[in-house]
């Protein structure tokens, strides 16, 4: 059984009006957070399902990895606040924490880093996959294809029931994603692929593969390396969001981890999820100048316009996204390092934020800046094209996806994911011959 009984063995009783039937459901409690009604026997007892489009009120699994209190703006990984991890830890250390449950000691940290670093190269034949894509392909399309193809290359780690295979697959995914991502970029601009260097740290290596050319030495700025590492930490995991749930759903069928992560990448691509920071920059470019903000805000508030203030709002956070605060600080550090003063985008962003935080429309709906509001500005300043923003998110989130996938595979209660529906189509009817159809 998942979870443990809620204090006082509380239960929920549901009575089917008019049918003289009821069922008593156990309430389960986590370490923190609201209790959860265990509805598994509801259909057997009352013959009814629950209806929850978007799963806003449904816990689909038990997890020990990440906790979010959206009302208070709290994000914990394995109990540690995101602010402390972003300040004091490194991305690979956070990866170890998410995968294994505890922060590593010095020896464990060294072994883990070496384990990841040894897997940064791609199988050489994977190179030829890139040539099959158009140069103007969106790099997320390339990511879906190349990551999915990994399962055709790493046969020796595909047994999901073997803990060693699961570990090697995790190393391979975490290590190779930056290489795959940087090569997707290099391919799009027609530059030679830069091979990873195992004497560089994770974030440094990524920046190196993105920006270096074979003809020159390339020195990566420590401030930008630290900013990149922090951006990766902030995106590493976020509980059961759409892409993570996609990974779990795909994984629940027994699909191999490379296929599952490719599914997660596809899910992340959408503008309501990982595509949002790309959408923020497009929005800022469209607004163009501070004087156009009031017009834009009116459009956002107009129910018929379908315009949203990108980078604002979140399904879970109904308070400031704690990651957005760290991102805002990092943004100033990066712009300072790059000598960018009075950046017009930043000025626009700051004014939009100021207005939105005071405007009744946003206040009433608890729409606060989310992590994507500032990350786009930072990444643009660091020279990333907007099409690479979501790719970078995928590099970071791979750590969360593979941790959640591993947790699911190791959970004895795990079953194939299979939601139900309310069917509202036609009831049974007889086939009509073509000649008889009107
Ligand atoms: N701009 C304007 N209005 C908004 C916004 C927004 N960004 N977000 C929500 N609203 C409004 C809705 O119109 C709705 O108003 P109504 O009650 O008058 O109809 C109300 O707020 C509730 O909105 P929902 O769509 O029900 O909220 P939901 O939880 O489903 O959506 C989402 C969350 C998808 C993130 C939404 O806020 C959004 O589209 N934001 C912009 C995209 C974005 O920044 N996404 C990144 C999310 S973070 C991440 O993936 C890392």
């Amino acid at each position: 059984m998942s979870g443990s009984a809620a204090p006082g063995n509380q239960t929920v009783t549901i009575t089917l009006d008019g049918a003289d039937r009821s069922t008593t459901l156990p309430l389960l409690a986590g370490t923190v957070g609201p209790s959860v009604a265990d509805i598994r026997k509801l259909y057997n007892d009352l013959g009814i399902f629950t209806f929850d489009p978007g799963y806003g009120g449904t816990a689909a699994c038990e997890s020990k990895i990440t906790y979010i209190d959206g009302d208070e703006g709290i994000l914990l990984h394995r109990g540690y606040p995101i602010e402390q991890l972003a300040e004091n830890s490194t991305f690979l250390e956070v990866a170890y924490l998410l995968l294994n449950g505890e922060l590593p000691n010095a020896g464990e940290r060294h072994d883990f880093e070496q384990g990841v670093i040894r897997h940064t190269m791609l199988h050489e034949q994977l190179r030829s996959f890139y040539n099959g894509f158009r140069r103007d392909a969106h790099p997320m399309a390339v990511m879906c294809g190349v990551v999915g193809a990994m399962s055709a290359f790493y046969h020796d780690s595909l047994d999901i029931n073997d803990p060693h295979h699961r570990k090697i697959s995790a190393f391979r995914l975490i290590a190779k994603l930056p290489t795959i991502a940087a090569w997707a970029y290099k391919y799009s601009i027609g530059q030679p692929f830069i091979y990873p260097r195992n004497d560089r740290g994770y974030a440094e290596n990524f920046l190196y593969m993105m920006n270096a050319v074979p003809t020159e030495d390339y020195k990566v700025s420590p401030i930008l390396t630290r900013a990149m590492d922090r951006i990766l930490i902030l995106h590493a995991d976020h509980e059961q969001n759409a892409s993570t749930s996609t990974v779990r759903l795909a994984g629940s069928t027994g699909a191999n981890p490379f296929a599952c992560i490719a599914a997660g990448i596809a899910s992340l691509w959408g503008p309501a999820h990982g595509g949002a920071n790309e959408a923020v920059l497009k929005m800022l470019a469209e607004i163009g100048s501070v004087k156009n903000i009031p017009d834009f805000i009116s459009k956002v508030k107009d129910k018929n316009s379908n315009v949203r203030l990108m980078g604002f709002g979140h399904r879970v956070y109904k308070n400031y996204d704690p990651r957005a605060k760290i991102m805002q600080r990092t943004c100033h550090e990066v712009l300072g390092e790059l000598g960018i003063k009075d950046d017009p985008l930043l000025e626009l962003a700051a004014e939009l934020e100021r207005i939105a935080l005071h405007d009744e429309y946003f206040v009433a709906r608890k729409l606060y800046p989310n992590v994507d509001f500032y990350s786009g500005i930072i990444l643009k300043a660091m020279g990333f094209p907007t099409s690479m923003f979501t790719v970078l998110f995928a590099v970071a989130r791979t750590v969360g996806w593979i941790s959640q996938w591993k947790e699911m595979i190791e959970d004895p209660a795990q079953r194939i994911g299979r939601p139900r529906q309310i069917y509202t189509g036609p009831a049974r009817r007889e086939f009509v011959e073509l000649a008889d159809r009107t």
Side-chain angles (χ1 to χ4, degrees):
M1 164 151 143
S2 311
S4 53
N9 286 329
Q10 263 188 309
T11 54
V12 180
T13 300
I14 299 184
T15 304
L16 206 55
D17 291 343
D20 197 24
R21 274 194 292 153
S22 69
T23 185
T24 299
L25 306 173
L27 263 192
L28 305 178
T31 329
V32 274
S35 296
V36 174
D38 179 352
I39 60 162
R40 279 176 289 184
K41 68 189 185 94
L42 186 63
Y43 179 70
N44 270 350
D45 288 0
L46 297 184
I48 59 172
F49 296 131
T50 52
F51 184 56
D52 185 18
Y55 313 120
T58 298
C61 64
E62 177 183 335
S63 181
K64 294 181 168 55
I65 300 177
T66 292
Y67 174 73
I68 302 172
D69 183 332
D71 294 327
E72 296 297 325
I74 291 171
L75 169 60
L76 310 176
H77 291 317
R78 303 282 191 184
Y80 295 106
I82 189 66
E83 294 84 353
Q84 293 182 20
L85 293 171
E87 194 61 38
N88 306 310
S89 196
T90 64
F91 178 64
L92 281 188
E93 192 170 67
V94 171
Y96 182 97
L97 174 71
L98 292 173
L99 273 165
N100 300 302
E102 295 297 335
L103 285 167
N105 63 29
E108 288 163 339
R109 181 172 145 154
H110 175 264
D111 291 349
F112 184 77
E113 285 174 355
Q114 289 308 307
V116 170
I117 278 171
R118 269 202 306 274
H119 287 99
T120 50
M121 268 199 318
L122 297 186
H123 190 293
E124 194 59 14
Q125 247 179 292
L126 265 172
R127 266 189 81 114
S128 47
F129 267 72
Y130 288 84
N131 296 330
F133 288 98
R134 285 168 53 133
R135 291 271 176 200
D136 60 356
H138 195 289
M140 282 299 274
V142 179
M143 295 293 286
C144 290
V146 178
V147 174
M150 284 174 80
S151 47
F153 285 84
Y154 301 106
H155 292 148
D156 58 339
S157 64
L158 292 185
D159 181 356
I160 61 165
N161 298 313
D162 181 331
H164 184 66
H165 281 213
R166 293 201 293 271
K167 184 172 165 185
I168 297 299
S169 292
F171 277 146
R172 284 182 168 148
L173 279 158
I174 296 168
K176 293 183 201 304
L177 257 284
T179 314
I180 295 173
W183 286 13
Y185 171 61
K186 288 293 188 188
Y187 182 74
S188 74
I189 56 170
Q191 283 189 2
F193 294 156
I194 300 294
Y195 282 80
R197 295 268 331 186
N198 293 350
D199 54 354
R200 293 176 187 266
Y202 192 86
E204 186 189 6
N205 208 6
F206 181 45
L207 290 175
Y208 163 72
M209 288 189 287
M210 282 286 301
N211 297 317
V213 287
T215 45
E216 288 171 16
D217 283 339
Y218 180 75
K219 209 170 152 9
V220 188
S221 141
I223 291 188
L224 297 189
T225 299
R226 180 68 193 127
M228 176 52 61
D229 202 66
R230 197 175 284 156
I231 291 170
L232 294 173
I233 293 175
L234 294 179
H235 286 90
D237 191 52
H238 212 228
E239 210 224 54
Q240 308 308 323
N241 53 82
S243 57
T244 302
S245 297
T246 303
V247 170
R248 279 189 178 256
L249 199 55
S252 76
T253 68
N256 75 69
F258 304 110
C260 296
I261 301 303
I265 293 172
S267 170
L268 185 73
W269 195 352
H273 192 7
N277 52 10
E278 188 175 344
V280 169
L281 273 224
K282 282 192 186 135
M283 175 189 78
L284 293 178
E286 262 166 48
I287 299 174
S289 131
V290 170
K291 73 176 178 0
N292 299 329
I293 290 180
D295 269 1
F296 181 76
I297 294 279
S298 317
K299 271 195 233 149
V300 167
K301 291 196 229 170
D302 178 359
K303 281 268 160 239
N304 301 317
S305 76
N306 270 336
V307 177
R308 286 202 160 190
L309 183 52
M310 300 312 284
F312 266 70
H314 197 275
R315 170 58 62 79
V316 179
Y317 291 118
K318 301 302 169 198
N319 199 324
Y320 223 104
D321 178 342
R323 302 167 302 169
K325 283 189 194 160
I326 307 166
M327 217 40 121
Q328 188 189 33
R329 215 178 52 234
T330 308
C331 186
H332 287 291
E333 279 168 25
V334 166
L335 297 187
E337 163 73 3
L338 296 171
I340 301 173
K341 290 198 193 83
D342 307 325
D343 180 59
L345 282 183
L346 196 61
E347 197 194 338
L348 254 179
E351 183 59 9
L352 262 183
E353 183 178 359
R354 194 190 62 76
I355 292 176
L357 288 177
H358 292 94
D359 188 299
E360 182 49 27
Y361 175 95
F362 298 93
V363 174
R365 289 169 181 75
K366 301 187 175 166
L367 299 170
Y368 290 86
N370 60 48
V371 66
D372 290 317
F373 192 65
Y374 278 99
S375 66
I377 298 169
I378 304 179
L379 294 175
K380 181 173 182 289
M382 286 171 90
F384 283 86
T386 46
S387 60
M388 282 298 288
F389 293 0
T390 319
V391 173
L392 207 133
F393 192 161
V395 169
R397 187 54 60 84
T398 292
V399 160
W401 290 330
I402 198 68
S403 305
Q404 301 263 354
W405 172 85
K406 174 175 175 282
E407 180 180 65
M408 182 191 65
I409 298 293
E410 292 169 3
D411 180 355
Q414 98 86 10
R415 307 166 71 200
I416 184 168
R418 177 58 171 90
R420 305 305 299 239
Q421 61 170 7
I422 303 184
Y423 175 68
T424 52
R428 185 199 153 103
R429 50 183 170 166
E430 302 309 318
F431 183 76
V432 181
E433 293 299 338
L434 184 60
D436 298 334
R437 291 177 215 158
T438 51

